[in-house]
Amino acid sequence: MTSATSDLTNDAFLGGQLTLTQPASGYRAGVDPVFLAAAAPARSGQSVLELGCGAGAASLCLGRRVAGLRMVGLEQQAIYADLAQRNALQNAIPLTIYQGDLENMPADLRQDRFDHVIMNPPYFRRDRGTSSPDGIREGALGEVTPLTAWLDHATRRLLPGGYLTLIQNAERLPEVLCAMDSRLGSIVVKPLCPRIGRAASLVIVQARKGARGAFRLAAPLVVHEGSHHTEDHEHYTPEVAAILRKGGALPL
């Protein structure tokens, strides 16, 4: 459900358990941050950092599912940083927002460490595609800071044994894996397929700092029932409906 006020909308997530204010145009959170939040294995009493938190969708979905987390977000664009803090307040979920650049973090954040880092880095390399004419949307979806830097900064912010969880375009999985150095192990990849028989469009990747477990390719998550679209309404699989509508977890 969406209701518009001037250039902002109020959008329901998790079957109405969460309401997010976000721009009516430009980058808008959809299902991707919900999947990201569902995949983070956080427990009450732990700490979570989201890099590039946007309007706070992933962090707040996670905070709604797991109470008692210390949550922090870093966002470069002022409009989204302000909205993330506003969304945290209106949903009564504790979330501290820093506005700043990934490669020039506020000093307090550089000195902090977390049990979990989650992130949804920009999907599109700008040496391979066309930039969006919308500057805010381009800032969210077009890569300026390379994936290698995202992975390095995320790893630095983790406590020993901490989990890194990210969602990314499936075609960029080789880049993600190459950027994960010896500090990370026990890597799990979960493909997200639009329908049965369709190639994965997204992947969730999770790794643990200091772990030495073998790489594991998990069974795919199929988003929609049926082999093709037949009617103009949602046909989520039961597992996906439990995540998107009820705030369920996505164990990897």
Side-chain angles (χ1 to χ4, degrees):
M1 176 178 133
T2 300
S3 62
T5 56
S6 66
D7 58 346
L8 298 174
T9 64
N10 293 316
D11 303 305
F13 286 74
L14 307 182
Q17 298 180 57
L18 193 72
T19 301
L20 298 182
T21 300
Q22 53 183 344
S25 60
Y27 173 73
R28 291 170 52 79
V31 299
D32 298 7
V34 186
F35 286 133
L36 174 62
R43 303 189 308 274
S44 182
Q46 292 187 324
S47 55
V48 182
L49 168 65
E50 183 180 4
L51 297 178
C53 67
S59 289
L60 296 174
C61 285
L62 179 56
R64 181 63 78 218
R65 177 168 64 86
V66 183
L69 296 173
R70 178 174 75 89
M71 295 196 301
V72 176
L74 175 68
E75 172 54 43
Q76 182 182 32
Q77 299 192 69
I79 182 174
Y80 286 107
D82 290 343
L83 285 172
Q85 198 67 77
R86 171 175 169 177
N87 286 327
L89 291 171
Q90 73 182 16
N91 286 282
I93 298 175
L95 174 62
T96 300
I97 299 297
Y98 289 90
Q99 185 192 347
D101 186 78
L102 182 69
E103 297 198 278
N104 187 25
M105 291 185 187
D108 289 350
L109 190 53
R110 286 201 310 271
Q111 296 166 10
D112 206 345
R113 297 295 181 272
F114 299 85
D115 298 296
H116 299 269
V117 174
I118 62 174
M119 61 186 190
N120 182 4
Y123 286 165
F124 305 109
R125 287 178 51 171
R126 281 301 162 240
D127 58 352
R128 293 184 180 176
T130 303
S131 300
S132 169
D134 185 307
I136 294 176
R137 181 176 176 83
E138 174 62 21
L141 295 178
E143 180 179 278
V144 176
T145 304
L147 269 176
T148 51
W150 282 83
L151 268 294
D152 178 60
H153 287 294
T155 304
R156 290 175 184 271
R157 301 284 80 75
L158 282 171
L159 289 163
Y163 286 89
L164 168 62
T165 306
L166 66 94
I167 189 167
Q168 182 56 262
N169 261 351
E171 68 178 21
R172 303 197 66 187
L173 177 59
E175 296 174 67
V176 173
L177 296 178
C178 286
M180 288 186 167
D181 58 31
S182 60
R183 293 172 294 174
L184 296 171
S186 300
I187 300 169
V188 183
V189 174
K190 180 84 169 178
L192 274 58
C193 303
R195 297 183 183 275
I196 295 173
R198 297 275 296 275
S201 55
L202 299 171
V203 289
I204 294 174
V205 185
Q206 190 172 90
R208 195 170 188 184
K209 189 170 184 177
R212 293 294 177 263
F215 172 86
R216 183 165 59 87
L217 181 61
L221 176 69
V222 178
V223 177
H224 297 281
E225 293 183 320
S227 59
H228 59 282
H229 182 77
T230 56
E231 299 176 9
D232 192 21
H233 59 84
E234 296 175 351
H235 280 288
Y236 289 125
T237 60
E239 185 179 6
V240 168
I243 293 167
L244 299 182
R245 299 295 174 246
K246 299 180 181 178
L250 175 57
L252 303 187

